Amino acid sequence: MEKVLVLDFGGHYNQPIARKVREQNIYAEIVSYQKITVDEIVAGGYKGIIFTGGPDSVFEPDAPHCDSAILSAGIPILGIGYGCQLIAYMAGGKVTYASEVSEFGVTELISDGSELLDGFPPVSACWMSHRNHIKEAPLGFHVTAYTERCPVAAMENSNSHIYGVQFHPEMIETEYGELVLHNFLYSICGCEGEWRMDRFVDDKIAQYRERLADKKVLLALSGGVDSSVAAVLVHKAIGDNLTCVFVDTGLLRKNEADMVETTCRDILNINVTRVDAADRFLSALKGVTSPDEKRRVISEEFNKVFEEEAKKLGKVDCLVQGTIYSDVLERGAGDIAFTASGDAGSLQQVVEYGEMAEPLRSLFKDEVRRAGMALGMPEEFCYRQPFPGPGLALRCVGEVTQEKLDILREADAIFSEEVAKSGYNRFTNQYFAVVTDTDSVGLLGSEHVLGKTIVLRSVTSDDFMTADWSRVPYEILATASARITSEIKGITRVVYDITPKPPATVEWQ
Ligand code: XMP
């Protein structure tokens, strides 16, 4: 399959770039510059390479660099931001620091016809984020765009197929950003756009049918989208040889556990064993107030419950996990679909099994959702909003108690219902309630009573690395607040969180 390498020199825009590439139907793989050699890149058969990076200065002694032999490997290269400066530096251009040339935000880009910028008008908007700049492009490179402060906003050497842009094509503010990637991938690298979710799903099913034929396979279903999509995919490959253990932690949203069970068992015909472990989780969480401790306790308890259930099944040949690409990048694991027993991970240490399979490990979250759709799963199931693994425990500030969970589940359901009913769910990416430990005075008739405070939070975000608070219309907030205080006992106050990320995080814990 055709693929492009996103060579990562640090920083945070490698994933947005890789996602944008995949949106153009080309498979992109992110690899750190420290983990791959030029020979390996050449042997990897990549159609093109994209250099990304962070805020470093290419001319500092410890700045991330790669072997400059890459420039003559014959593979088209596109450098973005730091990546563009690195190309200039390695090819003999001049990169300098000057505080008066730094640019952050939207800037006017003047471009002058080029292969990479084909389709750009003479003047357009672009997103800039740089302190250093390329003062002189290297010999053999043409400058194809500039801004008032940046003399080399884009450059190219079409004989060597090497291109660079100082601006960020992945940012929505760059008007013609998609064209940069499209021109590079299709016109320059000659890609054909083979990366499609229906094809991915069909290939995986065929591959797993062969590899897991006649094997006893086990999967831990958490209730989230990832493990559910993995379950459906493997089930399509091997049918009833797959057993799913669904651990109901009691920390899911209202009706969610039933929906997961019904969807998997009745609609998708998957063999599911549901374990009701709510009481166990609640007692394990007794007295725990720190979010990190909650995460640890929940993960440990999940493993224990899963292990007990798995033991009842005897020896299994393969454990399937719903690991996705961001998990792989986080733990820095290599890109292999099947690993031997004992390798990194958590659940595989608790069951006796032969191998582990991670069918979704190359997919970003939005691709997992699309894979679910390609597998025929219901849309409302695949497009559920993000929900943290430790569930509602993270949305009970302080100790998790049955009372707080009950209140929270109801408040959350009311807010969700109101947001969805109004159609505002199309304009926000995540919306939920949090129950705090702050008791405040309220009026019940003419009596003063103490009650809990509920926080409503709603954010818009592309990738959840940053987020803005959603401008939820007052009417929706008013109805939700009125319903929450009148329909749920014990709540005297409802507040709306108006903090973006940063400085806040999306969740309260
Ligand atoms: P934060 O709070 O870090 O959230 O700004 C960003 C996104 O990640 C989700 N989130 C989690 N997901 N385990 C998870 O699986 C966690 O511990 C966790 N904490 C936050 C959060 O819901 C948001 O979408």
Side-chain angles (χ1 to χ4, degrees), residues 295 386 388-390 394-395 430 464 501 505-507:
R295 286 183 173 90
L394 294 187
R395 294 181 182 168
Q430 199 172 358
F464 295 94
K501 172 184 179 177
T505 50
V506 173
E507 301 287 345

